[in-house]
Amino acid sequence: MNGDGGLFEKGHVVCHCLAIETGDGLVLVDTGFGIEDARDPRRLGAFFGLMNAEPRAETTALRQLEALGFGAADVRRIVVTHLDPDHSGGLPDFPDAEVHVLSTELDAALHPVLKDRLRYLDVHWRHGPRWVRHDAGGDEWFGFESVRILPDLDAELALIPLFGHSRGHTGVALRGGDGWLLHCGDAYFNHGEVGTPPSCPPGLRLFQSLNAADGSARKSNRDRLRELAARHGEEVTLLCSHDPHELEREQARAAAATATG
Ligand SMILES: [Zn+2]
């Protein structure tokens, strides 16, 4: 599935979220699965059962933040790349947070067309999140369209629409001390896809084709990301949601940054 292990071994994927400390609380980029999903994985529906998803309470965003000394109320804002259950599962764990999302994605999830009815699960928004809609169209960012969000915050954050995987899928760009970090969500699944020359394990290639809302938009955005990595790799670090290698790489980078102060 992801190029490691044997043909009949289970593939290992992760849900890579970001927590950003600002002068006004934490911003979470994506939420992964939530506490209730870990308690009762059946609520994730047949698809995730089939995928052998194993949500665990200790790896939820909430429990990991608690281990760092934060509480649910410290997360004031959440930015979601899209609203698939493996990205929205933690929304009920932060019921008071604003949830920033592209309008196209919110409409697709709240009023799903027949094809999307199994994709979006309303168990993750029955509590009535404080949605904040954003519309595509705005500034230019390395050749991509970008929507600057939270302008009053001391963190520079922008949505970079990357439609295809879902109807209103977006990347989230964050400017850090040493350049930009672009969380690409599910715009690609394996680091090889944005490498030169590109590569992708066959299982993941098939999986992505099957569950794309718009296959040609997905491929063209993935190709644009590869070009971005090739041309601006010094200034922009790309990561996606489900690649365990990228998670390890970023955790090592964060640990090194903490060690050097
Ligand atoms: Zn996903």
Side-chain angles (χ1 to χ4, degrees), residues 15 48 82 84 86-87 165 185-186 189 241-242:
C15 295
F48 284 93
H82 63 302
D84 277 352
D86 51 324
H87 300 258
H165 172 73
D186 287 359
F189 272 58
S241 293
H242 299 305

PDB file of all heavy atoms in Angstrom, residues 15 48 82 84 86-87 165 185-186 189 241-242, ligand 1:
ATOM      1  N   CYS A  15      -2.421  10.120  10.377  1.00  0.00           N
ATOM      2  CA  CYS A  15      -3.163  11.360  10.122  1.00  0.00           C
ATOM      3  C   CYS A  15      -2.320  12.494  10.693  1.00  0.00           C
ATOM      4  O   CYS A  15      -2.277  12.678  11.900  1.00  0.00           O
ATOM      5  CB  CYS A  15      -4.537  11.344  10.793  1.00  0.00           C
ATOM      6  SG  CYS A  15      -5.631  10.095  10.132  1.00  0.00           S
ATOM      7  N   PHE A  48     -14.238   2.878   6.519  1.00  0.00           N
ATOM      8  CA  PHE A  48     -13.071   2.859   7.407  1.00  0.00           C
ATOM      9  C   PHE A  48     -12.916   1.508   8.100  1.00  0.00           C
ATOM     10  O   PHE A  48     -11.808   1.119   8.462  1.00  0.00           O
ATOM     11  CB  PHE A  48     -13.118   4.021   8.405  1.00  0.00           C
ATOM     12  CG  PHE A  48     -12.759   5.326   7.764  1.00  0.00           C
ATOM     13  CD1 PHE A  48     -13.738   6.159   7.248  1.00  0.00           C
ATOM     14  CD2 PHE A  48     -11.433   5.689   7.611  1.00  0.00           C
ATOM     15  CE1 PHE A  48     -13.402   7.343   6.608  1.00  0.00           C
ATOM     16  CE2 PHE A  48     -11.088   6.867   6.973  1.00  0.00           C
ATOM     17  CZ  PHE A  48     -12.072   7.696   6.476  1.00  0.00           C
ATOM     18  N   HIS A  82     -10.106  19.407   4.406  1.00  0.00           N
ATOM     19  CA  HIS A  82     -11.395  18.962   3.868  1.00  0.00           C
ATOM     20  C   HIS A  82     -12.121  18.235   4.981  1.00  0.00           C
ATOM     21  O   HIS A  82     -11.613  18.171   6.110  1.00  0.00           O
ATOM     22  CB  HIS A  82     -11.210  18.104   2.613  1.00  0.00           C
ATOM     23  CG  HIS A  82     -10.460  16.813   2.805  1.00  0.00           C
ATOM     24  ND1 HIS A  82      -9.166  16.755   3.304  1.00  0.00           N
ATOM     25  CD2 HIS A  82     -10.807  15.522   2.566  1.00  0.00           C
ATOM     26  CE1 HIS A  82      -8.770  15.499   3.342  1.00  0.00           C
ATOM     27  NE2 HIS A  82      -9.744  14.726   2.915  1.00  0.00           N
ATOM     28  N   ASP A  84     -13.427  14.944   5.129  1.00  0.00           N
ATOM     29  CA  ASP A  84     -13.476  13.485   5.254  1.00  0.00           C
ATOM     30  C   ASP A  84     -13.316  13.124   6.740  1.00  0.00           C
ATOM     31  O   ASP A  84     -12.664  13.863   7.487  1.00  0.00           O
ATOM     32  CB  ASP A  84     -12.330  12.840   4.451  1.00  0.00           C
ATOM     33  CG  ASP A  84     -12.670  12.671   2.973  1.00  0.00           C
ATOM     34  OD1 ASP A  84     -13.838  12.913   2.598  1.00  0.00           O
ATOM     35  OD2 ASP A  84     -11.766  12.302   2.198  1.00  0.00           O
ATOM     36  N   ASP A  86     -11.495  11.178   8.490  1.00  0.00           N
ATOM     37  CA  ASP A  86     -10.167  11.077   9.095  1.00  0.00           C
ATOM     38  C   ASP A  86      -9.508  12.443   9.267  1.00  0.00           C
ATOM     39  O   ASP A  86      -8.382  12.550   9.749  1.00  0.00           O
ATOM     40  CB  ASP A  86      -9.262  10.121   8.285  1.00  0.00           C
ATOM     41  CG  ASP A  86      -9.234  10.441   6.807  1.00  0.00           C
ATOM     42  OD1 ASP A  86     -10.287  10.848   6.252  1.00  0.00           O
ATOM     43  OD2 ASP A  86      -8.168  10.294   6.186  1.00  0.00           O
ATOM     44  N   HIS A  87     -10.210  13.508   8.868  1.00  0.00           N
ATOM     45  CA  HIS A  87      -9.696  14.870   9.040  1.00  0.00           C
ATOM     46  C   HIS A  87     -10.595  15.676   9.971  1.00  0.00           C
ATOM     47  O   HIS A  87     -10.146  16.622  10.600  1.00  0.00           O
ATOM     48  CB  HIS A  87      -9.580  15.565   7.680  1.00  0.00           C
ATOM     49  CG  HIS A  87      -8.651  14.831   6.757  1.00  0.00           C
ATOM     50  ND1 HIS A  87      -7.360  15.238   6.504  1.00  0.00           N
ATOM     51  CD2 HIS A  87      -8.819  13.655   6.079  1.00  0.00           C
ATOM     52  CE1 HIS A  87      -6.771  14.350   5.698  1.00  0.00           C
ATOM     53  NE2 HIS A  87      -7.634  13.393   5.420  1.00  0.00           N
ATOM     54  N   HIS A 165      -9.216  15.738  -4.739  1.00  0.00           N
ATOM     55  CA  HIS A 165      -9.489  14.633  -3.812  1.00  0.00           C
ATOM     56  C   HIS A 165     -10.937  14.736  -3.315  1.00  0.00           C
ATOM     57  O   HIS A 165     -11.683  13.775  -3.324  1.00  0.00           O
ATOM     58  CB  HIS A 165      -8.501  14.667  -2.650  1.00  0.00           C
ATOM     59  CG  HIS A 165      -8.827  13.684  -1.565  1.00  0.00           C
ATOM     60  ND1 HIS A 165      -8.632  12.334  -1.707  1.00  0.00           N
ATOM     61  CD2 HIS A 165      -9.388  13.852  -0.336  1.00  0.00           C
ATOM     62  CE1 HIS A 165      -9.038  11.714  -0.600  1.00  0.00           C
ATOM     63  NE2 HIS A 165      -9.503  12.610   0.243  1.00  0.00           N
ATOM     64  N   GLY A 185      -2.730  18.129   2.833  1.00  0.00           N
ATOM     65  CA  GLY A 185      -3.894  17.267   3.078  1.00  0.00           C
ATOM     66  C   GLY A 185      -3.793  15.987   2.277  1.00  0.00           C
ATOM     67  O   GLY A 185      -2.773  15.294   2.301  1.00  0.00           O
ATOM     68  N   ASP A 186      -4.821  15.688   1.509  1.00  0.00           N
ATOM     69  CA  ASP A 186      -4.845  14.470   0.701  1.00  0.00           C
ATOM     70  C   ASP A 186      -4.616  14.754  -0.787  1.00  0.00           C
ATOM     71  O   ASP A 186      -5.037  13.989  -1.651  1.00  0.00           O
ATOM     72  CB  ASP A 186      -6.183  13.735   0.890  1.00  0.00           C
ATOM     73  CG  ASP A 186      -6.278  13.071   2.265  1.00  0.00           C
ATOM     74  OD1 ASP A 186      -5.314  13.171   3.050  1.00  0.00           O
ATOM     75  OD2 ASP A 186      -7.316  12.453   2.559  1.00  0.00           O
ATOM     76  N   PHE A 189      -0.506  11.294  -1.439  1.00  0.00           N
ATOM     77  CA  PHE A 189      -0.483  10.389  -0.281  1.00  0.00           C
ATOM     78  C   PHE A 189       0.913   9.890   0.069  1.00  0.00           C
ATOM     79  O   PHE A 189       1.131   9.365   1.146  1.00  0.00           O
ATOM     80  CB  PHE A 189      -1.381   9.165  -0.545  1.00  0.00           C
ATOM     81  CG  PHE A 189      -2.816   9.355  -0.152  1.00  0.00           C
ATOM     82  CD1 PHE A 189      -3.577  10.380  -0.691  1.00  0.00           C
ATOM     83  CD2 PHE A 189      -3.423   8.505   0.771  1.00  0.00           C
ATOM     84  CE1 PHE A 189      -4.911  10.555  -0.334  1.00  0.00           C
ATOM     85  CE2 PHE A 189      -4.759   8.666   1.136  1.00  0.00           C
ATOM     86  CZ  PHE A 189      -5.509   9.693   0.574  1.00  0.00           C
ATOM     87  N   SER A 241      -1.133  14.400   4.504  1.00  0.00           N
ATOM     88  CA  SER A 241      -1.758  13.894   5.733  1.00  0.00           C
ATOM     89  C   SER A 241      -1.306  12.497   6.124  1.00  0.00           C
ATOM     90  O   SER A 241      -1.191  12.194   7.301  1.00  0.00           O
ATOM     91  CB  SER A 241      -3.278  13.855   5.565  1.00  0.00           C
ATOM     92  OG  SER A 241      -3.783  15.155   5.450  1.00  0.00           O
ATOM     93  N   HIS A 242      -1.090  11.632   5.144  1.00  0.00           N
ATOM     94  CA  HIS A 242      -1.079  10.210   5.503  1.00  0.00           C
ATOM     95  C   HIS A 242       0.252   9.488   5.335  1.00  0.00           C
ATOM     96  O   HIS A 242       0.306   8.271   5.451  1.00  0.00           O
ATOM     97  CB  HIS A 242      -2.169   9.492   4.700  1.00  0.00           C
ATOM     98  CG  HIS A 242      -3.548  10.013   4.994  1.00  0.00           C
ATOM     99  ND1 HIS A 242      -4.047  10.069   6.283  1.00  0.00           N
ATOM    100  CD2 HIS A 242      -4.519  10.527   4.190  1.00  0.00           C
ATOM    101  CE1 HIS A 242      -5.279  10.572   6.252  1.00  0.00           C
ATOM    102  NE2 HIS A 242      -5.583  10.872   4.996  1.00  0.00           N
TER     103      HIS A 242
HETATM  104 ZN    ZN B   1      -7.478  11.522   4.444  1.00  0.00          ZN
END
